[in-house]
Amino acid sequence: MVFKNIRFVTNDMDAMRRLYAADHQDTSWPSHLRSLGAFETWLDQWDLRGWLEDGQIEVMFASNHEQAIGYGTIVRVPAEFAPDDVTAVEGGSYLSYHARGVGLNQQLKSRLHATAAVQYQANKVVYAISLDNTRARRAMLNLPWSCCEVTSDMPNSPWYKFLRRRQWETQTNISLYVFDLIKIFDTSPLTK
């Protein structure tokens, strides 16, 4: 399927509810958000993050598709869990099953990276992905930007404290994928 004229809408909770109704049984939908109650609680948390300007949801649409085809999230990484002199956000994303494999992951991540750099003044974006999610882990490595992968067997990594926190929160083994926004944008968009 071809998707034309990709656009993003920030914190469109009604579109997120329609996406949930269409996709929550997809095997790639976040497992902790399959029940309607858990999903609504999650949306409430993102609504609060948006109000506090601590994070946001970017809902992805295509002009030739009636409903959302995916979403991305970004939230500030607390300074005590980030390496020294790093301002970071954590990113997350989901694409509908019919929107995968056509290059939209790169467009979604590009949107998240630009928002992180400009709106949140971040210099790093980190993604926490379950070791069981081989498709998502492979997709990270297929992006056109280099990243650093951090795993639990790397206790000397400056990201190790954040990795341990996210593993405790999710109760799952994860890898972190860290993208340097200064390298992605070749120079900080904040200095232009």
Side-chain angles (χ1 to χ4, degrees):
M1 181 178 273
V2 176
F3 295 93
K4 298 180 181 177
N5 300 322
I6 300 300
R7 65 186 173 88
F8 295 90
V9 179
T10 303
N11 295 334
D12 185 339
M13 301 311 180
D14 290 333
M16 286 298 296
R17 286 182 180 92
R18 291 189 300 275
L19 184 61
Y20 168 83
D23 283 26
H24 73 278
Q25 293 184 21
D26 174 17
T27 57
S28 292
W29 185 265
S31 59
H32 66 286
L33 301 178
R34 299 225 176 178
S35 78
L36 181 58
F39 178 73
E40 286 293 339
T41 299
W42 182 79
L43 273 188
D44 288 343
Q45 292 168 347
W46 281 102
D47 199 27
L48 179 61
R49 286 177 174 146
W51 184 77
L52 294 172
E53 298 180 353
D54 194 45
Q56 64 194 54
I57 297 175
E58 294 290 333
V59 186
M60 184 180 214
F61 295 88
S63 64
N64 61 336
H65 203 269
E66 291 182 22
Q67 73 172 43
I69 57 173
Y71 70 86
T73 59
I74 50 177
V75 64
R76 292 181 198 275
V77 172
E80 63 268 23
F81 291 101
D84 292 341
D85 300 322
V86 169
T87 302
V89 297
E90 181 179 357
S93 63
Y94 169 81
L95 286 171
S96 288
Y97 64 92
H98 58 277
R100 295 181 195 135
V102 294
L104 294 178
N105 186 42
Q106 181 178 337
Q107 288 184 17
L108 181 54
K109 298 295 192 302
S110 290
R111 170 66 177 217
L112 296 178
H113 293 173
T115 301
V118 175
Q119 189 169 333
Y120 293 87
Q121 300 182 351
N123 50 26
K124 306 278 187 195
V125 176
V126 59
Y127 297 88
I129 301 179
S130 167
L131 294 181
D132 295 337
N133 193 342
T134 55
R135 184 188 54 76
R137 292 175 62 217
R138 190 172 43 249
M140 281 293 163
L141 300 176
N142 286 332
L143 291 169
W145 316 290
S146 63
C147 68
C148 171
E149 183 177 4
V150 179
T151 59
S152 60
D153 62 348
M154 301 169 72
N156 294 327
S157 167
W159 288 98
Y160 190 72
K161 189 189 304 186
F162 184 67
L163 173 77
R164 298 294 294 163
R165 175 186 185 217
R166 294 297 288 127
Q167 287 187 151
W168 177 78
E169 288 174 342
T170 62
Q171 294 296 296
T172 188
N173 290 323
I174 62 171
S175 281
L176 295 180
Y177 295 84
V178 182
F179 291 86
D180 185 334
L181 296 178
I182 303 301
K183 290 181 182 176
I184 288 174
F185 293 112
D186 201 32
T187 182
S188 174
L190 304 174
T191 61
K192 290 184 178 181

